[in-house]
Amino acid sequence: MRALPMAVGRGAVACATPAAAVPRRSLLLSTAAASAALQSEPIRLSSRSTSGAPKLRASADAAQAAATSFVSKEEAFAWAKKDNRRLLHVVYRVGDIDRTIKFYTECLGMKLLRKRDIPEEKYTNAFLGYGPEDSQFVVELTYNYGVDKYDIGSGFGHFGIATDDVSKTVELIRAKGGKVTREPGPVKGGKTVIAFVEDPDGYKFEILERPGTPEPLCQVMLRVGDLDRAISFYEKACGMELLRKRDNPEYKYTVAMMGYGPEDKNAVLELTYNYGVTEYDKGNAYGQIAIGTDDVYKTAEVVKLSGGKVVREAGPLPGINTKITAILDPDGWKSVFVDNIDFAKELE
């Protein structure tokens, strides 16, 4: 996808030249397998299934799919709204995982929740956050052996971290050697005090002043070419709510907050539209968001009924039987839905 010149605004960044394709992997096999659907190099998963199991599983999948049919689109969209969903983690690639872990724990105050090296697949993963994975939104870092740099592109915006005092947080980050790219002050077109810092790989973090928040890792910002189209997709296909929408004509951008609960208590997806920009270069660094669901089969059907693209059909993964489905939004951003019960088992 070619990069277009961007309007000057809060979401504006310089367009990057696409880098050569690199292997894309992640820790949870559910996330890794979903990525394989979009790549020429397959991700090899260990399988404990016996001879004949794939046919049995395929039959079970077909039976499950047949049982999830909705009477109408309205029924399907209503079900998605009632489904038990939350943002689980966001996946992206880094060039030096130990360096990134050090920055996130020392400068951003995160905790290393778990780390796993898979030498036979030549990758390492680490999960970090401000609380346990079974209740908090966390980051999943992926390091692919021998790859020390990625192209972030112009489409990915930033991650958001809520804190009691932005100025104190920024000074701590600066003292630890972190890069501050925007000093504390009111957001353009608003009153919320924010600042921006950059991690060693160039990912931007917006530090927001929001005292007492139960979800410090609070947002992922992605740029889209048609905001109304994107809002409709996430409402219908993903069952999200439009929490708020704000137009800033002075700075030529509009933002919409989408999520599964109040913005001050839940992690949300921030969609940004810069006036006149319809396409973005996505690079090869950012991966996807994982979302919990009670039924991946119904989820996939809802996505199809909404006109969305399913890139990994619903069903269990070989070897571990975690059920997932992977989708793309109209701008090409990927989400992976993971069965809630299966996800809980993976964390045991």
Side-chain angles (χ1 to χ4, degrees), residues 241-262:
E241 296 178 35
L242 173 60
L243 303 172
R244 65 184 173 94
K245 182 179 179 181
R246 186 180 76 244
D247 185 37
N248 295 276
E250 180 181 358
Y251 299 102
K252 298 181 179 180
Y253 76 93
T254 307
V255 298
M257 298 296 185
M258 310 291 299
Y260 295 110

Side-chain angles (χ1 to χ4, degrees), residues 67 100 106 118 123 135 139 158 171 181 195 200 211 228 232-233 242 257 262 264 287 290 321 324-325 333:
T100 304
E106 295 185 2
I118 310 296
Y123 74 96
S135 60
V139 300
H158 62 258
E171 287 310 308
T181 59
D228 290 333
S232 178
F233 175 84
L242 173 60
M257 298 296 185
D264 60 342
N321 290 324
I324 72 160
T325 189
W333 296 116

Side-chain angles (χ1 to χ4, degrees), residues 169-191:
T169 300
V170 167
E171 287 310 308
L172 172 62
I173 293 172
R174 200 195 312 271
K176 293 287 186 177
K179 182 179 179 181
V180 179
T181 59
R182 198 260 202 203
E183 295 295 333
V187 64
K188 292 180 179 179
K191 298 180 179 179

Side-chain angles (χ1 to χ4, degrees), residues 85-301:
R85 297 182 177 182
R86 73 176 181 90
L87 302 187
L88 302 177
H89 53 259
V90 59
V91 185
Y92 52 103
R93 302 165 187 88
V94 298
D96 183 331
I97 200 163
D98 291 327
R99 177 187 65 184
T100 304
I101 289 172
K102 180 179 175 66
F103 179 84
Y104 285 15
T105 54
E106 295 185 2
C107 293
L108 301 182
M110 293 186 188
K111 296 178 181 179
L112 175 60
L113 303 173
R114 54 192 172 105
K115 181 181 179 183
R116 186 175 73 171
D117 184 43
I118 310 296
E120 63 272 19
E121 297 289 342
K122 299 182 179 181
Y123 74 96
T124 304
N125 286 109
F127 284 74
L128 297 98
Y130 295 99
E133 290 178 64
D134 60 1
S135 60
Q136 298 274 291
F137 184 55
V138 306
V139 300
E140 177 185 347
L141 307 176
T142 298
Y143 167 68
N144 291 294
Y145 289 12
V147 184
D148 60 6
K149 189 175 182 180
Y150 293 92
D151 171 24
I152 294 178
S154 60
F156 170 78
H158 62 258
F159 304 113
I161 295 178
T163 182
D164 291 344
D165 190 315
V166 170
S167 295
K168 286 184 178 180
T169 300
V170 167
E171 287 310 308
L172 172 62
I173 293 172
R174 200 195 312 271
K176 293 287 186 177
K179 182 179 179 181
V180 179
T181 59
R182 198 260 202 203
E183 295 295 333
V187 64
K188 292 180 179 179
K191 298 180 179 179
T192 303
V193 176
I194 67 166
F196 274 91
V197 301
E198 201 171 281
D199 79 359
D201 289 274
Y203 291 102
K204 291 180 173 59
F205 283 81
E206 180 182 27
I207 312 300
L208 304 93
E209 196 152 294
R210 187 182 292 167
T213 180
E215 188 77 270
L217 184 61
C218 61
Q219 64 181 225
V220 176
M221 191 275 261
L222 302 174
R223 299 182 177 92
V224 298
D226 184 325
L227 188 59
D228 290 333
R229 179 186 65 182
I231 290 172
S232 178
F233 175 84
Y234 282 101
E235 284 182 323
K236 294 178 179 179
C238 298
M240 292 186 182
E241 296 178 35
L242 173 60
L243 303 172
R244 65 184 173 94
K245 182 179 179 181
R246 186 180 76 244
D247 185 37
N248 295 276
E250 180 181 358
Y251 299 102
K252 298 181 179 180
Y253 76 93
T254 307
V255 298
M257 298 296 185
M258 310 291 299
Y260 295 110
E263 190 180 344
D264 60 342
K265 294 181 173 62
N266 299 270
V268 301
L269 177 62
E270 177 182 354
L271 304 175
T272 297
Y273 168 69
N274 290 293
Y275 288 12
V277 184
T278 59
E279 294 183 13
Y280 294 92
D281 165 29
K282 295 179 180 59
N284 61 2
Y286 175 82
Q288 64 224 17
I289 290 178
I291 303 171
T293 175
D294 282 343
D295 193 319
V296 297
Y297 299 95
K298 287 185 176 180
T299 294
E301 186 173 355

